[in-house]
Amino acid sequence: MTNYVVLVVDDDKDIRDGIEIYLKNEGIKVLKAKDGIEAIDLLNEQEVHLIVLDIMMPRLDGIKTTFKIREKKNIPIIMLSAKSEDTDKILGLQVGADDYVTKPFNPLELIARVKSQLRRYVTLGHFEGKNKMINLNGLTLDQEAKEVAVNGDAIKLTPTEYRIVELLMLNAGRVFSINDIYESVWQEPSYNAENTVAVHIRKIREKIEIDPKNPRYLKVVWGIGYKMEK
């Protein structure tokens, strides 16, 4: 995990410092910010591979910060919040977060999620024995460049959205259940994953489909799951 840089953004100094201790024990370099404005300034100045971002902060909260970050960058974002309601989790995922941890959290769980996101972000798109370029009726995926395009127009996807699209395109025609998608992409056991996966699917459709309500590519198979049309 050396050479990785994680930006920890939280208005609580004790939380920032605590997360820093655990990350440094893994050999990860840590940058810290107390709000979204400081975070964006740091992102403009230094290379960052992942962000741990609190939702409730002064000046610029985590939701608005994520929205601004996603205008330019697709690095993984893990959101933190004291709120446990599903609506807050969904909102975070809707604006582009890749994962969500509720306070109070087990530091070891957070670090495990950070390491998992970093591994997938750095190795994104490398599947042995698979083609580098996949084309499904105008929807193309370039595994080498880690890019998705529709009729030649590049689509901006978050790392998690990309991994979902890649999984489904590599297995076009195969139906994946919500649990299949979650465990393949997040690489951890699925538990109450319905909202998490559904939000990502909806965001993907909004980006790749001309009419998201009548999708051409990403189809739902009612009562079973999702598939990418051949």
Side-chain angles (χ1 to χ4, degrees), residues 1 98-99 109 111-128 159-160 162-164 166-167 170 176-191 193 196-197 200:
M1 286 289 151
D98 295 282
D99 205 350
E109 177 189 355
I111 301 309
R113 289 176 180 267
V114 167
K115 291 167 68 175
S116 178
Q117 288 286 342
L118 284 172
R119 281 194 297 267
R120 291 198 294 268
Y121 179 59
V122 173
T123 61
L124 198 60
H126 295 283
F127 287 80
E128 293 184 4
T160 299
Y162 175 91
R163 290 194 294 272
I164 293 173
E166 184 176 52
L167 173 69
L170 284 171
F176 286 82
S177 70
I178 286 175
N179 290 339
D180 290 337
I181 293 172
Y182 189 89
E183 292 179 359
S184 295
V185 172
W186 278 264
Q187 295 182 3
E188 62 184 31
S190 175
Y191 179 72
T196 299
V197 173
H200 281 90

Side-chain angles (χ1 to χ4, degrees), residues 92-221:
L93 296 170
Q94 283 180 331
V95 297
D98 295 282
D99 205 350
Y100 193 106
V101 176
T102 302
K103 296 178 181 177
F105 54 85
N106 183 330
L108 296 180
E109 177 189 355
L110 175 61
I111 301 309
R113 289 176 180 267
V114 167
K115 291 167 68 175
S116 178
Q117 288 286 342
L118 284 172
R119 281 194 297 267
R120 291 198 294 268
Y121 179 59
V122 173
T123 61
L124 198 60
H126 295 283
F127 287 80
E128 293 184 4
K130 298 292 185 179
N131 294 327
K132 293 294 184 181
M133 184 72 75
I134 303 168
N135 190 325
L136 298 176
N137 298 318
L139 177 66
T140 59
L141 183 142
D142 185 338
Q143 289 184 280
E144 194 165 287
K146 305 179 184 66
E147 292 179 348
V148 173
V150 177
N151 296 324
D153 295 328
I155 305 298
K156 292 182 65 175
L157 299 175
T158 69
T160 299
E161 290 167 356
Y162 175 91
R163 290 194 294 272
I164 293 173
V165 171
E166 184 176 52
L167 173 69
L168 297 178
M169 289 187 70
L170 284 171
N171 300 277
R174 174 183 168 185
V175 180
F176 286 82
S177 70
I178 286 175
N179 290 339
D180 290 337
I181 293 172
Y182 189 89
E183 292 179 359
S184 295
V185 172
W186 278 264
Q187 295 182 3
E188 62 184 31
S190 175
Y191 179 72
N192 291 333
E194 290 81 2
N195 284 335
T196 299
V197 173
V199 169
H200 281 90
I201 293 292
R202 184 164 66 249
K203 294 297 290 184
I204 291 168
R205 279 179 168 166
E206 290 173 355
K207 294 178 180 181
I208 69 172
E209 303 285 0
I210 295 176
D211 182 0
K213 294 183 178 179
N214 296 287
R216 177 185 181 188
Y217 302 112
L218 211 174
K219 300 292 186 71
V220 61
V221 180

Side-chain angles (χ1 to χ4, degrees), residues 17-138:
D17 293 345
I19 295 174
E20 179 183 28
I21 291 171
Y22 282 91
L23 289 174
K24 283 188 172 180
N25 285 340
E26 298 293 333
I28 298 172
K29 181 180 177 182
V30 178
L31 300 175
K32 295 183 291 184
K34 67 177 180 293
D35 58 44
I37 294 176
E38 284 190 5
I40 290 173
D41 288 342
L42 283 170
L43 285 173
N44 290 331
E45 297 170 359
Q46 302 191 49
E47 182 179 16
V48 173
H49 301 103
L50 182 143
I51 304 170
V52 177
L53 179 66
D54 187 32
I55 287 185
M56 301 300 291
M57 297 183 297
R59 296 210 296 173
L60 194 66
D61 64 33
I63 299 296
K64 293 177 182 177
T65 301
T66 299
F67 188 80
K68 286 184 173 294
I69 291 170
R70 285 290 178 249
E71 291 177 352
K72 297 181 179 179
K73 298 180 182 291
N74 285 329
I75 58 178
I77 297 175
I78 298 177
M79 279 196 160
L80 303 177
S81 176
K83 297 181 178 179
S84 59
E85 292 85 354
D86 284 342
T87 52
D88 296 296
K89 296 180 182 180
I90 291 171
L91 181 58
L93 296 170
Q94 283 180 331
V95 297
D98 295 282
D99 205 350
Y100 193 106
V101 176
T102 302
K103 296 178 181 177
F105 54 85
N106 183 330
L108 296 180
E109 177 189 355
L110 175 61
I111 301 309
R113 289 176 180 267
V114 167
K115 291 167 68 175
S116 178
Q117 288 286 342
L118 284 172
R119 281 194 297 267
R120 291 198 294 268
Y121 179 59
V122 173
T123 61
L124 198 60
H126 295 283
F127 287 80
E128 293 184 4
K130 298 292 185 179
N131 294 327
K132 293 294 184 181
M133 184 72 75
I134 303 168
N135 190 325
L136 298 176
N137 298 318

